[in-house]
Amino acid sequence: MDAPRGIGTFTVWDYVVFAAVLLVSAAIGIYYALAGDGRGTSKDFLMGGRRMHAVPVALSLTASFMSAVTVLGTPAEVYRFGMVYSLFGLTYLLVVLITAEVFLPVFYKLGITSTYEYLELRFNKYVRLCGTIFYIIQTILYTGIVIYAPALALNQVTGFHLWGAVVSTGVVCTFYCTLGGLKAVIWTDVFQIGIMLAGFVSVIIKAVLIQGGISTILNDAYNGGRLNFWNFDPNPLQRHTFWTIVIGGTFTWTGIYGINQSQVQRFISCKSRAQGKLSLYINLVGLWTILVCALFSGLALYSRYHDCDPWTAKKVSAPDQLMPYLVLDILQDYPGLPGLFVACAYSGTLSTVSSSINALAAVTLEDLVKPHFKSLSERSLSWISQGLSVLFGVLCIGMAALASLMGALLQAALSIFGMVGGPLLGLFTLGILVPFANSTGALTGVLAGFVISFWVGIGAQIYPLLPERSMPLSLETYGCNTTHNGTDWMSTTEVPFSTSAFQGHSAERTPLMDNWYSISYLYFSTIGTLVTLFVGMLISLPTGGRKQNIDHRFLLTKEDVLSNFDIFKKKKHVLSYKSHPIEDGGTDNPAFNHIELNFTDQSGKIDGTRL
């Protein structure tokens, strides 16, 4: 293979395409700010007035879920570890099923803006506060990684200015979130998912043409051991196996999908519960499409560099830079296309960051501002929610600076979601599925869950996995013009995959490091969830959990499950047993707005139901 020709050149056209994507995103925010005549309420700003249709919400769910971490991290993951990552397709199916059938019915019938409102209705305000604070910390941390990571990868390969990229991303997101609210976020997501697909497709088509067909790419992958779909090793210490991905991955992603404010806020903004469920199932197709594109890009990456690995040959300094490197290698004769790919990576970032900012504003307003300032008018609440969008935008840009210490993208992002999302998932599951759980049990359980999952998560960052646990596949450099010993470099290059600040401890490893801290990062969430559930139930029983009288709207009931089959029943039968819950739980969205905008009424209602 010839030496890299002109890698790192980003032409004027590339900058034009990239700038156009940012401008269109900003323009959508301006449009919704000007078009929204009735957008006077904070409810409209944060919830899109609960009039959204299933398809844009589904695309928005997919876009905010698929950040630049997916665009850059997944192909590099396949390149280094093979196709075992494709099992996440099964994980997504399980996650969407659990979210649509367990969490959505309860959140929707209560008509809440912040998922953490549920915690106060079901337990008490201290549990709600605890959930809110952890969510805010988790989201700011994660958003920092999402802004910084693509900026770094693209900067080192394309020469795109690092902090210019970080700040422009943060500013554009904050701008259209602050102006247009949730509607702007959802419609920019729809635009950005189109850009993401266009970027992936252009890379895949060109790679197939250059490599001489799909069969060549698959043959190279097969010969390099990359088609390792099935690994049924039950050992929880192996980084990716069938079990860690399907069990651990389901817990991790349910924490993101089922209870994460950014996602719940979207499917609750649909006009009816059926539309909300539909949006989740349509979004599953979107998730699979993006996953297939990312996986195939990884195989194309391997096929192109199977005899000359740019990472081992020190042409790039981290695996996350492989994808931009490939783009500049194969698309350099097409002005504008490398720019389209950069826009694709950034679209992932923009959609995730904007949904985080909007969700943070919603949670802070509902959970920290409204309970303490009950006399505020709708107009001032609307201004406050816009001010909060600006504040969180600035905080997330600041967090991006710290993200440079976190190591590899995909794993760092999922580790944060696992460590914080696991205990929160346990807390909501306790509320929805365990009728005898009480506030004492919930609070003790969630704190125990946080302690355990942070212990294992931070331990794993300080004492990284041994290479035989993470099972990287071999990378060759015999086809390069420069000669480096490949195996030597592999052993030293495991370092960038974890925080390198604490590498001094690798001299002698204790059993604690080799077992507890070496557990697959996907299990962080599973551990957090199970500890929270177990401790919560254990404490609730002796502290009077069985004696409390719980309103059934706070639990998943038989009616919620059977409601899926309503369409097959005769009309009068549906009316006879569903008439009361519909009125009370409120599937009629205008009723929610009416109740929730009347603050004295709402607070009275909460007190009433809790008593």
Side-chain angles (χ1 to χ4, degrees), residues 205-229:
I205 291 174
K206 185 61 184 169
V208 167
L209 292 173
I210 283 187
Q211 295 306 110
I214 293 178
S215 55
T216 316
I217 292 180
L218 293 176
N219 276 336
D220 287 341
Y222 178 75
N223 295 333
R226 280 345 188 237
L227 301 183
N228 51 347
F229 292 96

Side-chain angles (χ1 to χ4, degrees), residues 538-611:
L538 212 61
I539 302 288
S540 291
L541 284 170
T543 54
R546 301 194 81 104
K547 294 177 189 161
Q548 55 182 356
N549 188 12
I550 298 285
D551 187 322
H552 282 291
R553 293 180 310 145
F554 306 149
L555 304 168
L556 183 71
T557 58
K558 195 165 69 173
E559 283 77 15
D560 291 327
V561 180
L562 293 175
S563 68
N564 289 336
F565 306 105
D566 282 356
I567 45 172
F568 303 119
K569 297 187 178 175
K570 290 180 184 165
K571 255 316 186 241
K572 60 178 186 183
H573 186 62
V574 175
L575 287 172
S576 66
Y577 89 92
K578 284 294 273 187
S579 62
H580 178 64
I582 282 178
E583 229 171 56
D584 199 16
T587 328
D588 184 18
N589 283 323
F592 292 161
N593 288 353
H594 173 69
I595 290 170
E596 286 208 9
L597 297 182
N598 183 348
F599 296 115
T600 50
D601 188 29
Q602 189 197 8
S603 57
K605 189 177 174 206
I606 288 173
D607 289 337
T609 43
R610 198 148 40 83
L611 289 169

Side-chain angles (χ1 to χ4, degrees), residues 285-341:
V285 178
L287 294 182
W288 283 339
T289 309
I290 301 269
L291 181 67
V292 167
C293 287
L295 292 169
F296 198 80
S297 298
L299 293 181
L301 196 58
Y302 181 73
S303 178
R304 178 75 170 157
Y305 301 122
H306 65 96
D307 58 352
C308 177
D309 168 40
W311 186 34
T312 315
K314 299 191 180 178
K315 290 171 189 164
V316 296
S317 59
D320 298 317
Q321 296 168 4
L322 288 165
M323 199 61 192
Y325 184 86
L326 172 77
V327 168
L328 282 170
D329 181 13
I330 66 176
L331 293 177
Q332 58 186 342
D333 302 330
Y334 300 87
L337 278 187
L340 181 70
F341 181 79

Side-chain angles (χ1 to χ4, degrees), residues 263-419:
Q263 305 296 74
V264 174
Q265 195 171 341
R266 283 175 164 67
F267 54 70
I268 286 186
S269 71
C270 288
K271 13 165 81 167
S272 68
R273 187 168 74 176
Q275 289 269 325
K277 283 192 178 181
L278 186 62
S279 74
L280 279 165
Y281 289 119
I282 296 173
N283 137 75
L284 180 60
V285 178
L287 294 182
W288 283 339
T289 309
I290 301 269
L291 181 67
V292 167
C293 287
L295 292 169
F296 198 80
S297 298
L299 293 181
L301 196 58
Y302 181 73
S303 178
R304 178 75 170 157
Y305 301 122
H306 65 96
D307 58 352
C308 177
D309 168 40
W311 186 34
T312 315
K314 299 191 180 178
K315 290 171 189 164
V316 296
S317 59
D320 298 317
Q321 296 168 4
L322 288 165
M323 199 61 192
Y325 184 86
L326 172 77
V327 168
L328 282 170
D329 181 13
I330 66 176
L331 293 177
Q332 58 186 342
D333 302 330
Y334 300 87
L337 278 187
L340 181 70
F341 181 79
V342 173
C344 158
Y346 268 92
S347 290
T349 299
L350 287 170
S351 57
T352 307
V353 174
S354 60
S355 56
S356 296
I357 291 172
N358 194 262
L360 284 166
V363 165
T364 311
L365 189 75
E366 291 291 329
D367 296 355
L368 304 178
V369 178
K370 277 188 185 176
H372 299 108
F373 302 98
K374 294 184 178 169
S375 59
L376 286 172
S377 70
E378 262 309 323
R379 194 80 207 116
S380 49
L381 282 170
S382 193
W383 282 109
I384 290 170
S385 53
Q386 291 180 327
L388 287 169
S389 292
V390 174
L391 171 71
F392 284 119
V394 172
L395 276 177
C396 291
I397 295 174
M399 212 15 251
L402 290 178
S404 54
L405 307 171
M406 282 298 290
L409 294 187
L410 203 61
Q411 192 162 330
L414 286 181
S415 298
I416 287 176
F417 269 133
M419 282 151 56

